C-alpha cells in the first residue's frame, strides 16, 4: 500500500491532522497497490479461467448431442444442465462452482495479507505515524478487501457471460420454478446474484482481517485464513454437526439460487445476510480490539 503514502508522509515532516479527504486518498492508494500486485492479477486470472474451462468442458461433453447433468447432487442448484440451452446459465454455474472455494480463497489471501503483510514489509509503523489512526487504517483495509470481493465476483460473472455467449445460444430464461422471463430480466437477475455472492464473502473478509492482526507474517495469516475456510467447509458437511451448521458463514452461500425462483424465495437469503453481518461485526470488532492494543514493532 501505501508505500507511496509512506514516502509522502516522510517528506512532509510534521504530522498532519487526519481529514476524510486524506482517508479517500489512502483508500485510492490502497486500491491501486492491491490491484497492481501480480498476486492479485494472478488470482483474478484464475477466477476468470474457471468459467472458460467449465464452458469448454460442457461444450465438448455435449458435442455429440448428449446432455450434461449431475448438478445439484451436492445440494447446490442444477444450473449446469441448462447451460447448453442458454449460455446465461453459465454465469450461475460459474458462481456456484467458484463460491465454495476459489472466491473465498482469493478473499482470504487479500484479507490475510492486509495488516500482516504491512508488518512483514516493515511499512506498518510508518503508516501509523501518518495521521491515519489505527481505526481508520483498519477500515480502509477492510473497504479495500470488500472492493476486491466485488471485483472478483464480477470477473467470474463477466467471464462466464462472455464464454456462454460464444459457445451457447442466448434467449429467454427458465427459472427454477418453471416460469420464463426475457433475456434482459435474466441479465438483471444475474447481476443481482453476483452482488449477493459478493455480499456473501464479507464474513470471510472480516475473519481474514482479524487473523491478519494476530501475526506479522503475511504468509502465515493467509494460510491460517484459507485453512479456517477449508475446515468450516468440511464441518458444514458432517451430519452429526447439524445443529451448528446454520452458524457457519458458508452454510447459506448457495441461497443465491433462490433469486432464480418466481417469486423470489427470501428466507435463506435473509439468513445469509444476517450471518454475514454477524461475522463482520464479531470479527471486525475483534480485529479493531486486537489492532488497537497491538505493539507495532515494524
Amino acid at each position: 500500500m501505501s508505500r507511496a503514502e509512506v514516502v509522502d508522509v516522510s517528506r512532509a515532516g510534521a504530522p498532519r491532522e487526519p481529514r476524510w479527504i486524506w482517508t479517500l486518498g489512502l483508500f485510492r492508494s490502497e486500491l491501486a497497490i492491491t490491484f497492481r500486485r501480480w498476486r492479485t492479477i494472478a488470482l483474478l486470472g484464475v477466477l476468470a479461467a474457471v468459467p472458460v474451462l467449465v464452458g469448454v468442458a460442457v461444450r465438448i461433453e455435449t458435442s455429440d448431442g448428449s446432455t450434461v447433468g449431475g448438478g445439484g447432487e451436492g445440494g447446490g442448484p442444477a444450473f449446469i444442465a441448462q447451460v447448453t440451452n442458454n449460455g446465461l446459465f453459465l454465469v450461475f454455474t460459474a458462481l456456484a462452482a467458484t463460491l465454495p472455494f476459489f472466491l473465498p480463497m482469493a478473499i482470504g489471501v487479500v484479507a490475510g495479507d492486509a495488516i500482516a503483510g504491512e508488518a512483514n514489509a516493515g511499512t506498518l509503523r510508518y503508516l501509523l505515524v501518518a495521521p491515519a489512526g489505527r481505526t481508520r487504517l483498519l477500515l480502509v483495509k477492510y473497504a479495500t478487501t470488500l472492493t476486491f470481493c466485488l471485483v472478483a465476483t464480477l470477473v467470474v460473472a463477466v467471464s462466464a457471460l462472455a464464454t456462454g455467449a460464444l459457445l451457447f445460444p442466448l434467449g429467454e430464461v427458465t427459472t427454477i420454478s418453471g416460469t420464463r422471463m426475457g433475456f434482459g430480466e435474466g441479465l438483471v437477475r444475474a447481476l443481482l446474484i453476483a452482488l449477493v455472492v459478493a455480499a456473501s464473502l464479507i464474513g470471510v473478509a472480516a475473519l481474514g482481517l482479524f487473523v491478519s492482526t494476530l501475526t506479522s507474517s503475511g504468509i502465515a495469516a493467509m494460510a491460517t485464513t484459507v485453512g479456517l475456510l477449508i475446515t468450516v467447509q468440511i464441518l458444514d458437511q458432517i451430519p452429526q454437526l447439524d445443529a451448528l451448521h446454520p452458524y457457519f458463514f458458508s452454510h447459506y452461500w448457495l441461497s443465491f439460487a433462490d433469486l432464480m425462483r418466481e417469486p423470489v424465495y427470501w428466507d435463506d437469503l435473509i439468513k445469509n445476510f444476517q450471518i454475514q453481518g454477524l461475522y463482520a461485526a464479531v470479527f471486525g470488532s475483534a480485529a479493531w480490539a486486537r489492532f488497537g492494543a497491538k505493539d507495532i514493532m515494524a
Side-chain angles (χ1 to χ4, degrees), residues 9-79:
V9 169
S10 63
R11 288 176 177 172
R16 295 168 293 175
E17 289 298 321
R19 292 180 300 179
W20 282 110
I21 189 69
W22 192 89
T23 302
L24 290 176
L26 182 64
F27 178 56
R28 284 198 301 269
S29 173
E30 187 72 28
L31 283 179
I33 294 295
T34 299
F35 284 96
R36 278 204 301 259
R37 283 177 173 151
W38 283 109
R39 180 182 61 208
T40 304
I41 295 172
L43 288 171
L44 294 177
V46 170
L47 290 172
V50 172
V52 177
L53 293 175
V54 173
V56 170
V58 172
R59 179 73 174 183
I60 293 174
E61 184 176 349
T62 59
S63 59
D64 59 354
S66 61
T67 59
V68 62
E73 289 179 357
F79 290 133

Side-chain angles (χ1 to χ4, degrees), residues 105-171:
M105 183 198 68
I107 306 308
V109 168
V110 173
D113 190 57
I115 300 296
E118 296 285 357
N120 190 52
T123 54
L124 185 56
R125 185 172 56 179
Y126 296 102
L127 279 172
L128 295 177
V129 170
R134 298 191 183 203
T135 300
R136 193 169 297 194
L137 179 61
L138 199 64
L139 288 174
V140 166
K141 292 287 187 181
Y142 190 50
T144 302
T145 305
L146 294 184
T147 303
F148 179 78
C149 290
L150 180 61
V151 171
T153 306
L154 291 177
V155 163
V156 174
V158 171
S159 174
L161 181 61
T163 305
L166 286 173
L167 298 180
F168 307 103
L170 298 175

